[in-house]
Every structure is written in structure tokens, then in C-alpha cells.
């Protein structure tokens, strides 16, 4: 009888243990928490740095500052204060140095926080067109600012030699003192060859409001930053956003082309009877060298919001001489970047874990015009629009995916060439055998 009781107790204990383990497994399953108390928000994806970016360490002064080379990407970190880097430039090109500051998600920022980039000569005087500045609004989103050494007759900083890049992280009192990731990119735009280059901006250009397309939307998931921005062309594209998230897209604009764009947020799942976020939806446009062209925001109350940007001027070399800050950056053909941000505050009155439908409308106006007479290849410098860029916009690939596809095509060409060569050799050998056999006969 005692044995029966012990056996019964063992069975009960085993059953309880299995039940507890099953409950633990159920809790660990995806969506299990949602079944109990609604979907749980996951962290917003962070900015994706460039693959192969070189690690550098900026210095507090010009002494011992690391050399940055055109055509390269670098990664560093910066606390409130200054960092110095070094350049060695020729006298035949315009050079852009962009700095993308990446604050941790959820960090408290204000309008006094931001990033500033200056290109200086060895006399510690900044070159014309500097500094480039960018400041936060309400959200800790990636910020990009650009310093430049621009070729211009009768201007400073035209001689070849050593220059310095000064990156400053500006911070208001009480700001986060920790170091934040910093991405640096150096791009070299070659000068024009032969004849005199234009020195004045066009006085008149078609500036009518864009007529954005109203066709059915096709899905295109935006990236987390400039490096994995999703390619798009003219049309209507669908995506989604969560509070505190920024989506990145890229669109190729050739010489003479203009861009009109707008974005719409649909209704979110409310958690309160009412709520509103100033600049709840923000749309920005950046140049191929990551300089801000235009930005605009709209209030979002969880029901509907839309933002549109004015039509850009036609892409033209001479725009760089304009005093209009929305014309001056549209100076070179290439990939222009569109960012769409939903304010973190929206999560205070909507379901943070449920993405909100986003519609992006793009209008590319005009055909490709004649490019300026550059002395060197513009595409080799990472600018311009080619057939592969247009194909990427049609297919919706990121730069990473496009590079991988190009590498695969190169490998296939090598394999095909090797296969053709081997096949030709085999035919020659067989032909030789046949000829030798006939002679013997």
C-alpha cells in the first residue's frame, strides 16, 4: 500500500513539473506575451553602419589627427566637444566630408544638441561654405552635417596641401555625456575640364508644386540609414512606421531632373481617447553627399497626417553658387535620400508595438540632361546616375544588395569566360585528334 502511495506522489510531482515546464515554454513562444497583454514593442532598429568602414580616433587638436582619404568611410565615436581629422587635397576637385551622429534610441535631446563639421586650412580658418550644421528636434534620430572644400575661382582654400576637419558635437546643459557613434564619409567631386566653368546659379527654374502620383502602392521597406536605404523611383510605395523610427530611401536624380515627394501616415491603434504630437510625421531630403536639402513636418493625432516637400530645382552644377539654401545642395546628379520619421511621442497615445501604414509618393520630373564636362569620371567618385542605378530603383534594392548582385554578375562572367575557353580548347584538341587519325588512315 505504501508503495502505491509513493508511486502516486511521484506521478503527481511529474505531472506538475511537466505542466510548469509547458507554461514556461508557452511564455517563451513568440506572441505569447501578446496573447496575455497585447503585443510587446521591440526596440526600433538602430542605424546600420557602412560595411568595411575603417575605425579611426579623432584627436582633441590637429596634432596627430588621423588622415581621411577621399572615397572612404570611417567610424569613430564622439562625446560633447571637438574631434579633429586631417585631409590632403589636390587643387582639381571639390571635397565633401559628412558626419552622421547616431544617438542611442530614447536619448533625451533638444534643439541645443547637434553636430557641426568644418573644413579648415592650416591657418585654422574655415573654408568658404563652412561650417555645416544639423540640430535635433524632439527626437534622437541620426543627424548628418557636411563640411566642404569647394572649387571656386578667386576663393580661399584652392591650393593643394593639408587641411583639417573639425567635428563638433554640440550639447546643451545636462546633455548625455557619453560618446555616440559617428560615421565619416569623404567624397571627391572632380573639377570641370576645359573652358570656363559656370559661376552663377540659374535665376529661373520650374518651381510649380508637384503633382504626386495616385496609383496603387507597391511595398518597399525602407532602411535604417544611408548605407542600407531602399531604392525607389517615381511612383507610390507602401511601408510602415513605429514611434521613434526613421525609414531611409534613395532615389536616383540625373542632371536636369526634379523631385517632388510626399508621405502619409494612416490611422494608428489608439491607447487613449485623444492625443497629438507636434511634428509627429517628418519628411526630409538629403543630397548625394548627405547634406540636407529640405525638411518638413506635420502634427499627427493618431488618425491621419500628410507631409509634402516643394519640388526641387533641376539638378545643375551651377546650383552650388546659389544663396538659396534649398537650391545650393542640388548641385550634382546621383542618389538623393528620403527619410521619414514618426515622433517618439506618438507612442504615448497609440499602440507602440503595432506599425502604422505609411505611403510614400514620388514624382521624378523630366528626362536626363547633358552632364557637365568633368575632367574625370564622375561615377568613379560615387556620383552620377547610370544604368545600374536605374535598374536598382526599378528593382528596389539597397546599396548592399546591389553591390552583391554586381559581384555575382562579375563572378558569372568569369565562370562563363572560363567555360568558353575550356570548351574552345577541348574542340581544338578533338579536331587535332581527328585530323591526325585521317592522316594515318
Amino acid at each position: 500500500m505504501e508503495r502505491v502511495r509513493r508511486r502516486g506522489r511521484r506521478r503527481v510531482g511529474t505531472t506538475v513539473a511537466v505542466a510548469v515546464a509547458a507554461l514556461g515554454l508557452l511564455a517563451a513562444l513568440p506572441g505569447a506575451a501578446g496573447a496575455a497583454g497585447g503585443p510587446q514593442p521591440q526596440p526600433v532598429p538602430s542605424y546600420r553602419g557602412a560595411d568595411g568602414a575603417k575605425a579611426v580616433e579623432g584627436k582633441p587638436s590637429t596634432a596627430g589627427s588621423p588622415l581621411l582619404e577621399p572615397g572612404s568611410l570611417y567610424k569613430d565615436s564622439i562625446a560633447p566637444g571637438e574631434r579633429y581629422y586631417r585631409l590632403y587635397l589636390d587643387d582639381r576637385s571639390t571635397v565633401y566630408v559628412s558626419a552622421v551622429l547616431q544617438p542611442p534610441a530614447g536619448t533625451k535631446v533638444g534643439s541645443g544638441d547637434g553636430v557641426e563639421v568644418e573644413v579648415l586650412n592650416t591657418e585654422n580658418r574655415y573654408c568658404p561654405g563652412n561650417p555645416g550644421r544639423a540640430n535635433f528636434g524632439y527626437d534622437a534620430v541620426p543627424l548628418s552635417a557636411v563640411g566642404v572644400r569647394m572649387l571656386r575661382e578667386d576663393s580661399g582654400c584652392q591650393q593643394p596641401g593639408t587641411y583639417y576637419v573639425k567635428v563638433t558635437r554640440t550639447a546643451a546643459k545636462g546633455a548625455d555625456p557619453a560618446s555616440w557613434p559617428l560615421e565619416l564619409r569623404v567624397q571627391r567631386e572632380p573639377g570641370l575640364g576645359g573652358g570656363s566653368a559656370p559661376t552663377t546659379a540659374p535665376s529661373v527654374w520650374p518651381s510649380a508644386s508637384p503633382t504626386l502620383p495616385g496609383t496603387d502602392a507597391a511595398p518597399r521597406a525602407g532602411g535604417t540609414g544611408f548605407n542600407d536605404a531602399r531604392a525607389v523611383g517615381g511612383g507610390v510605395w507602401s511601408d510602415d512606421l513605429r514611434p521613434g523610427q526613421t525609414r531611409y530611401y534613395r532615389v536616383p536624380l540625373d542632371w536636369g531632373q526634379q523631385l517632388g515627394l510626399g508621405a502619409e501616415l494612416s490611422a494608428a491603434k489608439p491607447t487613449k481617447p485623444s492625443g497629438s504630437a507636434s511634428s509627429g510625421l517628418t519628411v526630409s531630403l538629403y543630397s548625394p553627399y548627405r547634406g540636407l536639402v529640405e525638411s518638413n513636418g506635420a502634427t499627427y493625432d493618431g488618425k491621419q497626417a500628410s507631409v509634402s516637400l516643394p519640388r526641387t530645382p533641376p539638378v545643375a552644377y551651377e546650383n552650388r553658387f546659389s544663396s538659396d539654401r534649398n537650391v545650393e545642395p542640388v548641385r550634382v546628379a546621383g542618389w538623393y535620400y528620403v527619410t521619414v520619421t514618426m515622433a517618439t511621442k506618438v507612442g504615448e497615445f497609440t499602440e507602440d508595438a503595432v506599425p502604422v501604414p505609411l505611403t510614400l509618393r514620388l514624382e521624378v520630373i523630366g528626362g536626363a540632361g547633358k552632364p557637365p564636362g568633368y575632367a574625370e569620371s564622375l561615377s568613379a567618385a560615387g556620383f552620377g546616375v547610370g544604368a545600374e542605378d536605374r535598374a536598382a530603383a526599378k528593382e528596389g534594392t539597397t546599396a548592399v544588395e546591389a553591390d552583391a548582385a554586381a559581384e555575382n554578375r562579375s563572378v558569372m562572367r568569369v565562370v562563363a569566360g572560363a567555360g568558353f575557353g575550356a570548351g574552345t580548347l577541348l574542340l581544338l584538341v578533338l579536331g587535332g585528334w581527328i585530323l591526325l587519325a585521317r592522316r594515318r588512315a
Side-chain angles (χ1 to χ4, degrees), residues 149-165:
R149 194 291 296 270
M150 187 170 74
L151 281 186
R152 188 169 186 174
E153 190 176 350
D154 300 326
S155 182
C157 297
Q158 301 300 294
Q159 65 277 10
T162 297
Y163 291 83
Y164 294 101
V165 178

Side-chain angles (χ1 to χ4, degrees), residues 20-90:
V20 170
L23 287 172
L25 179 61
L26 180 62
L29 290 174
Q40 299 302 306
Q42 299 298 315
V44 171
S46 58
Y47 182 93
R48 174 172 175 167
D51 293 339
K54 303 174 185 177
V56 293
E57 185 178 345
K59 301 301 180 182
S61 72
T62 57
S65 54
L67 178 67
L68 305 182
E69 297 180 348
S72 299
L73 280 148
Y74 301 88
K75 57 183 178 181
D76 198 356
S77 62
I78 186 169
E82 303 168 351
R83 282 281 186 271
Y84 284 86
Y85 309 87
R86 182 166 43 94
L87 297 170
Y88 191 83
L89 306 180
D90 58 34

